[in-house]
Structures are given as C-alpha cells and as structure tokens.
Amino acid sequence: GAGVSQSPSNKVTEKGKDVELRCDPISGHTALYWYRQSLGQGLEFLIYFQGNSAPDKSGLPSDRFSAERTGGSVSTLTIQRTQQEDSAVYLCASRGTTGRTGELFFGEGSRLTVL
Amino acid sequence: SQQGEEDPQALSIQEGENATMNCSYKTSINNLQWYRQNSGRGLVHLILIRSNEREKHSGRLRVTLDTSKKSSSLLITASRAADTASYFCATDENTGRRALTFGSGTRLQVQP
C-alpha cells in the first residue's frame, strides 16, 4: 500500500484477555518500530526491527508484551493478559533508509481500551 | 523518561501570528526531527536537522539546533488554523540506540 497500515483501528477488550495488533509497513521498508502513546502524552518506544537483525526489545514494558515480524514485512504486537494500564494508542512506523536514522512514516494507530 | 522535553506544553495563538516551540534533550545526537500529529491521527514528519547544522528552513517552518545547549526550536510563521496540532521533537541519539526518542509534545491551538 501507499502508507503504513494498522489494524484494528480500535479495540475494546476485557482485562485479562489477549490482543493482537497488526502493522503492514510501506513496501520495501526494512525498519519497523512500535511505539505506545498514552492519552495526551509523548511516544514511548516499545520495539524495533531492522531487516534480519535481532530486534531491539529494550522498550517492552513487561513479558506480557511480544512482537514478531514475519518475512521482513508485516508485524504483530501481542499483549497477553491485558491490564487497564495497557490502554493507549499503539503506533507503528517504518523507515526505508539504512544506516543513520531518517524519517519515520507512521500509521494511524490502534487505540486499545482495556475495561 | 523522555529524552526530549518540549516547551511550552500548550500554546494558543491567533491566526497570522508566529508560533515558537522549544525542545531540550540530554544526550549527544546524530540528528533531531520534528513531527506533527493531528488529533487522533498518526505522526507526520516535518523536518530533520543534522547535528552539524544550525538552522534549516522548509516553507513556513524554521528549525534551529544548538548542540552546545542541547536544544532546538521550531518556528511556524504566519500560522493558520490548519496548523492546530501537537508537535513533537524526536532525537536520533548518538549512543547506538536505533530508535528515535520522542518528547512529550507541544499542543498548538491557532484561533481563526
């Protein structure tokens, strides 16, 4: 597609349930990022994928959070046993340049509400 | 905590006025970027300034970078109601970390 696509755009779930959020980056982009944005706040880095390198998972807040990127393209962020504090907008971004960090292209986000 | 901290947190101006937002950061950087976010939307890249640059222009945007003070400013001239959005600075840290670190943002309201 022309841009970064995220689904679902909105997800309401009950505390304790697992959720999966999907990101489809711009075709050909080798780098993919997940960020979390709480209401009215800045972006919190979660995880970064670059090509076939081991992902940088340093931002994942707990072991309930995991992400994978299959075939170097689509990524899925999974949150197990959701808690109310997981409620936020989860933003995915991709980047095409290699080497030094360039412009990130963001999706519209997946808004997660945990009741 | 966030690497970049924006100042002010919120800014309200009249259409036609200039808007200035500031960003401070803590570590050495390769470059600094500014992004815009309309309410309920994703972020859109505005401008990138490298660590060896001091000023950059793009249309009505002017960005400055002072690496000795670890600060940057974004100036929007002749603001329009459509400029209403949140603006974030993001740093590419010169620490090997490969992810951009975002500040907390400035919410700009331009009154028509």
Side-chain angles (χ1 to χ4, degrees):
Chain A
V4 177
S5 178
Q6 292 189 244
S7 63
S9 55
N10 279 285
K11 176 71 175 178
V12 180
T13 190
E14 293 180 348
K15 177 181 173 181
K17 296 286 181 67
D18 298 351
V19 296
E20 284 189 354
L21 308 176
R22 175 189 169 106
C23 173
D24 203 338
I26 293 173
S27 179
H29 278 193
T30 57
L32 186 148
Y33 303 78
W34 283 99
Y35 286 87
R36 177 168 72 174
Q37 185 177 32
S38 300
L39 186 63
Q41 301 298 311
L43 275 68
E44 175 189 6
F45 167 71
L46 297 177
I47 188 169
Y48 162 71
F49 296 90
Q50 172 64 58
N52 295 321
S53 301
D56 177 354
K57 304 179 181 179
S58 60
L60 295 178
S62 77
D63 58 8
R64 296 186 295 105
F65 288 73
S66 63
E68 63 177 20
R69 188 178 185 192
T70 55
S73 181
V74 172
S75 177
T76 302
L77 177 69
T78 301
I79 308 172
Q80 295 180 309
R81 305 180 303 282
T82 52
Q83 303 295 312
Q84 288 183 334
E85 60 262 28
D86 299 335
S87 296
V89 176
Y90 290 82
L91 291 162
C92 175
S94 69
R95 172 173 58 84
T97 55
T98 56
R100 294 174 62 177
T101 305
E103 171 184 356
L104 299 188
F105 294 82
F106 280 85
E108 296 288 282
S110 292
R111 180 177 298 278
L112 174 66
T113 303
V114 182
L115 302 177
Chain B
S1 63
Q2 296 288 340
Q3 152 81 324
E5 295 297 330
E6 272 94 345
D7 167 51
Q9 290 187 330
L11 179 61
S12 181
I13 60 174
Q14 296 294 316
E15 211 166 23
E17 294 180 337
N18 295 342
T20 299
M21 289 158 270
N22 302 296
C23 168
S24 61
Y25 58 92
K26 297 175 182 175
T27 65
S28 177
I29 62 171
N30 292 315
N31 64 65
L32 185 145
Q33 303 176 32
W34 285 90
Y35 287 79
R36 165 194 168 125
Q37 183 181 37
N38 284 13
S39 181
R41 308 296 297 274
L43 278 74
V44 175
H45 180 266
L46 294 175
I47 194 166
L48 180 154
I49 186 165
R50 302 197 184 282
S51 60
N52 61 353
E53 297 176 313
R54 292 296 168 259
E55 187 171 315
K56 202 163 184 180
H57 296 254
S58 177
R60 294 183 297 111
L61 304 181
R62 172 179 170 251
V63 170
T64 63
L65 179 64
D66 187 334
T67 53
S68 66
K69 294 181 180 179
K70 291 186 170 57
S71 67
S72 174
S73 68
L74 172 67
L75 169 67
I76 303 174
T77 60
S79 64
R80 306 166 181 168
D83 294 329
T84 295
S86 291
Y87 293 82
F88 295 88
C89 69
T91 50
D92 170 19
E93 299 171 15
N94 192 18
T95 58
R97 179 188 171 96
R98 293 168 292 177
L100 292 183
T101 303
F102 284 80
S104 51
T106 292
R107 293 185 303 279
L108 174 65
Q109 176 78 41
V110 181
Q111 306 286 351

